[in-house]
Amino acid sequence: CSLDDFGSGFSSLGLLKEFDIDTIKFDRQFFIDLSTKKAKDIIDTMIDLSLKLGIHTVAEGIETGEQVTYLDSAKCDMIQGYFYSKPLCLDDFEKWIQEKQQGNK
């Protein structure tokens, strides 16, 4: 079970207690501005809590190398966003993966 857009809208910490969540997908709003210690402390704390609860973490809407570097150092499990690719249909995704694998040989 995945909790999408965590930190915005109707998602809340209370849901982590009520439901057996496997994955939390953190809303992109958390990552737009990483220039302050407070912003990083919030993200670090959410990832630490997820680790303690055995919940996988996904950062949504990642667009810059700075964001990727920070999330890697914060031990975020997965990163998705335009930094890697725009959303793709299945056929385009399979072609994209094949091109990436050929480029790594």
Side-chain angles (χ1 to χ4, degrees):
C1 179
S2 175
L3 182 57
D4 197 17
D5 294 331
F6 185 77
S8 68
F10 294 105
S11 67
S12 72
L13 286 173
L15 294 176
L16 298 179
K17 193 170 129 183
E18 296 296 320
F19 298 105
D20 189 19
I21 304 293
D22 300 307
T23 303
I24 295 176
K25 296 178 77 179
F26 296 114
D27 190 78
R28 69 180 297 275
Q29 291 294 96
F30 287 108
F31 312 110
I32 291 173
D33 182 9
L34 295 175
S35 64
T36 66
K37 181 179 181 329
K38 184 177 183 178
K40 290 178 180 178
D41 285 347
I42 290 169
I43 295 165
D44 289 342
T45 301
M46 292 188 315
I47 291 173
D48 287 344
L49 176 61
S50 299
L51 286 169
K52 286 181 180 182
L53 296 174
I55 299 172
H56 296 282
T57 55
V58 179
E60 296 180 306
I62 303 306
E63 298 179 356
T64 70
E66 174 192 3
Q67 292 168 324
V68 171
T69 300
Y70 172 72
L71 288 163
D72 184 49
S73 71
K75 308 291 186 234
C76 185
D77 294 311
M78 290 187 263
I79 300 169
Q80 71 181 48
Y82 279 84
F83 180 79
Y84 297 105
S85 173
K86 65 179 181 169
L88 302 170
C89 67
L90 180 59
D91 289 339
D92 290 342
F93 175 74
E94 289 173 343
K95 182 179 176 183
W96 181 80
I97 287 289
Q98 187 175 41
E99 289 171 359
K100 289 286 187 186
Q101 289 172 341
Q102 290 173 351
N104 290 332
K105 290 182 180 180

